[in-house]
Amino acid sequence: MFVDQVKVDVKAGNGGNGMVAFRREKFVPNGGPAGGDGGRGGSIILQADEGLRTLMDFRYTRKFKADNGGNGMIKQMTGRSAQDKVINVPLGTVVTDADTGKLIGDITEKDQRLVVAKGGRGGRGNIHFASPKNPAPEIAENGEPGGELTIRMELKVLADVGLVGFPSVGKSTLLSVVTSAKPKIGAYHFTTLVPNLGMVRLDDGRDFVMADLPGLIEGAANGVGLGIQFLRHIERTRVILHLVDMSGIEENDPFDDYVKINHELTSYDPDLLKRPQIVVATKMDMPDAADNLAKFKVKLAQDNTFETVPAVYPISAITQQGLTALLAQTADLLDKTPQFPVKGVDDVEHRDYTTDANPDFKVENPEEGLYVLSGEKLERLFKMTDLNHEESLMRFARQLRGMGVDDALRAAGAKNDDTIQILDYAFQFMD
Ligand SMILES: Nc1nc2c(ncn2[C@@H]2O[C@H](COP(=O)(O)OP(=O)(O)OP(=O)(O)O)[C@@H](O)[C@H]2O)c(=O)[nH]1
Ligand SMILES: [Mg+2]
């Protein structure tokens, strides 16, 4: 299978709670506040591991959780920070948010790390809330909840070499004779619907991964045929083998075909033509092939798509003619060609799941005198409130007012002494 994919639940650790404490004895305010901060919760981090080739391991383990930070302590002592949870994944893993479909990142480099869920920061202890007006605050924050989400991981094997060309030029046939892959081969167009991969091994010990891509046609870059989703795979290959059918059975001019395919590549991304390209003249066992190739070469010599005219390698997959020379040349080019960066991924900003909470909230009035509040940011602020201390609660009340919650409650009809509920906690509305 070319694409392997799994869904995994990740939960970063919550920050530890801040503490309310005072120097010397508890509740002797003149000693001053001394409650420490909570420690940071562990994050969930994906790490590239070159030794892995599949996402198989995730078929059995689908949940990952990092530890919570330790709570703050007396004498201004900060709670311990939790260790990050590091998950090894193969190169070529693309990570998206399973709920929104948004790209989180792409693991393409050795030793690369990607934070997928951030640990919550520790809540602040009461030392942070002292002010001239309130020198002995009974306010502390609970730790911030760690990020929690379902990620989808998709493994896109990074092929070194991509076979590109019109339908039926013999891409799958070539792959089947130079690797142990068994792609479907047919005398009709669009036999190949998804890319096939194979490993080419040369006698001199070199090897590389070859991908047989679905045929391209005119307009592929704009979504015609199957092309566009696979052009993305070409982006990742280092050398392009451009196959051109010389048999004449399709009744197209081979040079015309060649120009059209390059046009599709460059319309999708002009950088694709910077990939080293080898022209492979296929089906050379057919009667008219030699003549067609000679005409093709004349036109190619006058073409200036590339700075230097690409080399042409005539082959026949049936008689196996020309294959050794083609593969040796491909391996030589690979030795000289660096990895190309995948575009549009490194600069993707990924959502900060903990601090980016949606500020919208909802007021519901399920029965007379009861108002239920919900919403991501509001619930997060609530979870960070230390309910054991009146002053912390009042701070929360001020935060709600700042968000416009009081006004919204009034607008919904809430009156003095009505019950306001958030998650499993209820309190009285005071207008
Ligand atoms: N005579 C001859 N026929 C070939 C050769 N290579 C492939 N063919 C034939 O060409 C037809 C198309 O071959 P495929 O390998 O399926 O072509 P493809 O480029 O993968 O086509 P799509 O997957 O549809 O894009 C089949 O009937 C093959 O048997 C060759 O070297 N010589
Ligand atoms: Mg095919």
Side-chain angles (χ1 to χ4, degrees), residues 12-30:
N14 301 333
N17 298 336
M19 189 182 206
V20 171
F22 295 94
R23 259 180 263 135
R24 298 197 204 120
E25 248 182 280
K26 230 178 164 187
F27 304 121
V28 180
N30 57 10

PDB file of all heavy atoms in Angstrom, residues 12-30:
ATOM      1  N   ALA A  12      -1.773  16.166  26.001  1.00  0.00           N
ATOM      2  CA  ALA A  12      -0.610  16.701  26.702  1.00  0.00           C
ATOM      3  C   ALA A  12      -0.958  16.856  28.181  1.00  0.00           C
ATOM      4  O   ALA A  12      -2.130  16.898  28.556  1.00  0.00           O
ATOM      5  CB  ALA A  12      -0.225  18.042  26.093  1.00  0.00           C
ATOM      6  N   GLY A  13       0.064  16.942  29.009  1.00  0.00           N
ATOM      7  CA  GLY A  13      -0.163  17.056  30.456  1.00  0.00           C
ATOM      8  C   GLY A  13      -0.696  18.429  30.842  1.00  0.00           C
ATOM      9  O   GLY A  13      -0.383  19.446  30.211  1.00  0.00           O
ATOM     10  N   ASN A  14      -1.509  18.464  31.899  1.00  0.00           N
ATOM     11  CA  ASN A  14      -1.969  19.752  32.436  1.00  0.00           C
ATOM     12  C   ASN A  14      -0.842  20.381  33.236  1.00  0.00           C
ATOM     13  O   ASN A  14       0.004  19.674  33.786  1.00  0.00           O
ATOM     14  CB  ASN A  14      -3.157  19.549  33.374  1.00  0.00           C
ATOM     15  CG  ASN A  14      -4.330  18.888  32.684  1.00  0.00           C
ATOM     16  OD1 ASN A  14      -4.480  19.019  31.467  1.00  0.00           O
ATOM     17  ND2 ASN A  14      -5.142  18.177  33.439  1.00  0.00           N
ATOM     18  N   GLY A  15      -0.862  21.695  33.304  1.00  0.00           N
ATOM     19  CA  GLY A  15       0.078  22.362  34.191  1.00  0.00           C
ATOM     20  C   GLY A  15      -0.308  22.061  35.639  1.00  0.00           C
ATOM     21  O   GLY A  15      -1.468  21.788  35.931  1.00  0.00           O
ATOM     22  N   GLY A  16       0.674  22.087  36.529  1.00  0.00           N
ATOM     23  CA  GLY A  16       0.365  21.888  37.952  1.00  0.00           C
ATOM     24  C   GLY A  16      -0.337  23.120  38.507  1.00  0.00           C
ATOM     25  O   GLY A  16      -0.241  24.220  37.938  1.00  0.00           O
ATOM     26  N   ASN A  17      -1.044  22.952  39.610  1.00  0.00           N
ATOM     27  CA  ASN A  17      -1.765  24.084  40.204  1.00  0.00           C
ATOM     28  C   ASN A  17      -0.832  24.988  41.005  1.00  0.00           C
ATOM     29  O   ASN A  17       0.087  24.513  41.653  1.00  0.00           O
ATOM     30  CB  ASN A  17      -2.863  23.576  41.139  1.00  0.00           C
ATOM     31  CG  ASN A  17      -3.890  22.745  40.389  1.00  0.00           C
ATOM     32  OD1 ASN A  17      -4.045  22.904  39.174  1.00  0.00           O
ATOM     33  ND2 ASN A  17      -4.569  21.867  41.087  1.00  0.00           N
ATOM     34  N   GLY A  18      -1.126  26.270  40.945  1.00  0.00           N
ATOM     35  CA  GLY A  18      -0.395  27.195  41.804  1.00  0.00           C
ATOM     36  C   GLY A  18      -0.926  27.068  43.226  1.00  0.00           C
ATOM     37  O   GLY A  18      -2.024  26.555  43.440  1.00  0.00           O
ATOM     38  N   MET A  19      -0.161  27.522  44.182  1.00  0.00           N
ATOM     39  CA  MET A  19      -0.584  27.340  45.565  1.00  0.00           C
ATOM     40  C   MET A  19      -0.853  28.670  46.280  1.00  0.00           C
ATOM     41  O   MET A  19      -0.202  29.676  45.996  1.00  0.00           O
ATOM     42  CB  MET A  19       0.490  26.593  46.336  1.00  0.00           C
ATOM     43  CG  MET A  19       0.000  26.194  47.704  1.00  0.00           C
ATOM     44  SD  MET A  19       1.222  25.377  48.689  1.00  0.00           S
ATOM     45  CE  MET A  19       0.117  24.435  49.749  1.00  0.00           C
ATOM     46  N   VAL A  20      -1.818  28.621  47.205  1.00  0.00           N
ATOM     47  CA  VAL A  20      -2.012  29.755  48.106  1.00  0.00           C
ATOM     48  C   VAL A  20      -1.327  29.377  49.405  1.00  0.00           C
ATOM     49  O   VAL A  20      -1.676  28.371  50.032  1.00  0.00           O
ATOM     50  CB  VAL A  20      -3.511  30.025  48.373  1.00  0.00           C
ATOM     51  CG1 VAL A  20      -3.661  31.071  49.479  1.00  0.00           C
ATOM     52  CG2 VAL A  20      -4.193  30.497  47.097  1.00  0.00           C
ATOM     53  N   ALA A  21      -0.309  30.110  49.797  1.00  0.00           N
ATOM     54  CA  ALA A  21       0.376  29.842  51.065  1.00  0.00           C
ATOM     55  C   ALA A  21       0.995  31.143  51.547  1.00  0.00           C
ATOM     56  O   ALA A  21       1.185  32.080  50.757  1.00  0.00           O
ATOM     57  CB  ALA A  21       1.455  28.774  50.874  1.00  0.00           C
ATOM     58  N   PHE A  22       1.292  31.170  52.845  1.00  0.00           N
ATOM     59  CA  PHE A  22       1.892  32.381  53.416  1.00  0.00           C
ATOM     60  C   PHE A  22       3.124  32.019  54.215  1.00  0.00           C
ATOM     61  O   PHE A  22       3.260  30.897  54.695  1.00  0.00           O
ATOM     62  CB  PHE A  22       0.870  33.100  54.305  1.00  0.00           C
ATOM     63  CG  PHE A  22      -0.292  33.600  53.496  1.00  0.00           C
ATOM     64  CD1 PHE A  22      -1.447  32.840  53.358  1.00  0.00           C
ATOM     65  CD2 PHE A  22      -0.197  34.805  52.813  1.00  0.00           C
ATOM     66  CE1 PHE A  22      -2.498  33.275  52.570  1.00  0.00           C
ATOM     67  CE2 PHE A  22      -1.259  35.248  52.034  1.00  0.00           C
ATOM     68  CZ  PHE A  22      -2.407  34.499  51.908  1.00  0.00           C
ATOM     69  N   ARG A  23       4.012  32.967  54.309  1.00  0.00           N
ATOM     70  CA  ARG A  23       5.202  32.734  55.101  1.00  0.00           C
ATOM     71  C   ARG A  23       4.810  32.539  56.558  1.00  0.00           C
ATOM     72  O   ARG A  23       3.811  33.095  57.015  1.00  0.00           O
ATOM     73  CB  ARG A  23       6.163  33.920  54.966  1.00  0.00           C
ATOM     74  CG  ARG A  23       7.292  33.609  53.978  1.00  0.00           C
ATOM     75  CD  ARG A  23       8.208  34.773  53.853  1.00  0.00           C
ATOM     76  NE  ARG A  23       7.827  35.549  52.676  1.00  0.00           N
ATOM     77  CZ  ARG A  23       7.736  36.874  52.658  1.00  0.00           C
ATOM     78  NH1 ARG A  23       7.967  37.577  53.732  1.00  0.00           N
ATOM     79  NH2 ARG A  23       7.406  37.485  51.546  1.00  0.00           N
ATOM     80  N   ARG A  24       5.576  31.837  57.266  1.00  0.00           N
ATOM     81  CA  ARG A  24       5.251  31.441  58.641  1.00  0.00           C
ATOM     82  C   ARG A  24       3.942  30.670  58.629  1.00  0.00           C
ATOM     83  O   ARG A  24       3.739  29.807  57.796  1.00  0.00           O
ATOM     84  CB  ARG A  24       5.158  32.651  59.583  1.00  0.00           C
ATOM     85  CG  ARG A  24       6.503  33.371  59.664  1.00  0.00           C
ATOM     86  CD  ARG A  24       6.536  34.283  60.867  1.00  0.00           C
ATOM     87  NE  ARG A  24       7.504  35.344  60.631  1.00  0.00           N
ATOM     88  CZ  ARG A  24       7.217  36.626  60.618  1.00  0.00           C
ATOM     89  NH1 ARG A  24       5.996  37.030  60.863  1.00  0.00           N
ATOM     90  NH2 ARG A  24       8.161  37.506  60.385  1.00  0.00           N
ATOM     91  N   GLU A  25       3.007  31.070  59.450  1.00  0.00           N
ATOM     92  CA  GLU A  25       1.798  30.284  59.583  1.00  0.00           C
ATOM     93  C   GLU A  25       0.770  30.597  58.503  1.00  0.00           C
ATOM     94  O   GLU A  25       0.671  31.723  58.037  1.00  0.00           O
ATOM     95  CB  GLU A  25       1.179  30.625  60.936  1.00  0.00           C
ATOM     96  CG  GLU A  25       1.230  29.478  61.928  1.00  0.00           C
ATOM     97  CD  GLU A  25       0.536  29.941  63.197  1.00  0.00           C
ATOM     98  OE1 GLU A  25       1.163  30.648  63.983  1.00  0.00           O
ATOM     99  OE2 GLU A  25      -0.649  29.613  63.336  1.00  0.00           O
ATOM    100  N   LYS A  26       0.018  29.599  58.205  1.00  0.00           N
ATOM    101  CA  LYS A  26      -1.106  29.782  57.296  1.00  0.00           C
ATOM    102  C   LYS A  26      -2.062  30.804  57.898  1.00  0.00           C
ATOM    103  O   LYS A  26      -2.243  30.836  59.119  1.00  0.00           O
ATOM    104  CB  LYS A  26      -1.853  28.450  57.158  1.00  0.00           C
ATOM    105  CG  LYS A  26      -2.088  28.056  55.706  1.00  0.00           C
ATOM    106  CD  LYS A  26      -2.777  26.704  55.648  1.00  0.00           C
ATOM    107  CE  LYS A  26      -3.364  26.485  54.284  1.00  0.00           C
ATOM    108  NZ  LYS A  26      -4.167  25.252  54.271  1.00  0.00           N
ATOM    109  N   PHE A  27      -2.672  31.592  57.087  1.00  0.00           N
ATOM    110  CA  PHE A  27      -3.640  32.613  57.499  1.00  0.00           C
ATOM    111  C   PHE A  27      -3.066  33.667  58.440  1.00  0.00           C
ATOM    112  O   PHE A  27      -3.768  34.304  59.181  1.00  0.00           O
ATOM    113  CB  PHE A  27      -4.885  31.970  58.141  1.00  0.00           C
ATOM    114  CG  PHE A  27      -5.518  30.973  57.226  1.00  0.00           C
ATOM    115  CD1 PHE A  27      -5.671  29.652  57.613  1.00  0.00           C
ATOM    116  CD2 PHE A  27      -5.934  31.348  55.947  1.00  0.00           C
ATOM    117  CE1 PHE A  27      -6.240  28.722  56.754  1.00  0.00           C
ATOM    118  CE2 PHE A  27      -6.512  30.429  55.089  1.00  0.00           C
ATOM    119  CZ  PHE A  27      -6.658  29.110  55.486  1.00  0.00           C
ATOM    120  N   VAL A  28      -1.768  33.821  58.450  1.00  0.00           N
ATOM    121  CA  VAL A  28      -1.186  34.970  59.135  1.00  0.00           C
ATOM    122  C   VAL A  28      -0.647  35.853  58.026  1.00  0.00           C
ATOM    123  O   VAL A  28       0.482  35.682  57.582  1.00  0.00           O
ATOM    124  CB  VAL A  28      -0.058  34.578  60.117  1.00  0.00           C
ATOM    125  CG1 VAL A  28       0.513  35.816  60.799  1.00  0.00           C
ATOM    126  CG2 VAL A  28      -0.607  33.613  61.157  1.00  0.00           C
ATOM    127  N   PRO A  29      -1.493  36.747  57.555  1.00  0.00           N
ATOM    128  CA  PRO A  29      -1.182  37.471  56.330  1.00  0.00           C
ATOM    129  C   PRO A  29       0.099  38.296  56.419  1.00  0.00           C
ATOM    130  O   PRO A  29       0.791  38.428  55.442  1.00  0.00           O
ATOM    131  CB  PRO A  29      -2.390  38.388  56.124  1.00  0.00           C
ATOM    132  CG  PRO A  29      -3.438  37.917  57.074  1.00  0.00           C
ATOM    133  CD  PRO A  29      -2.779  37.139  58.141  1.00  0.00           C
ATOM    134  N   ASN A  30       0.440  38.791  57.567  1.00  0.00           N
ATOM    135  CA  ASN A  30       1.589  39.697  57.582  1.00  0.00           C
ATOM    136  C   ASN A  30       2.900  39.006  57.206  1.00  0.00           C
ATOM    137  O   ASN A  30       3.916  39.645  57.024  1.00  0.00           O
ATOM    138  CB  ASN A  30       1.704  40.436  58.920  1.00  0.00           C
ATOM    139  CG  ASN A  30       1.814  39.466  60.091  1.00  0.00           C
ATOM    140  OD1 ASN A  30       1.988  38.256  59.879  1.00  0.00           O
ATOM    141  ND2 ASN A  30       1.690  39.989  61.298  1.00  0.00           N
TER     142      ASN A  30
END
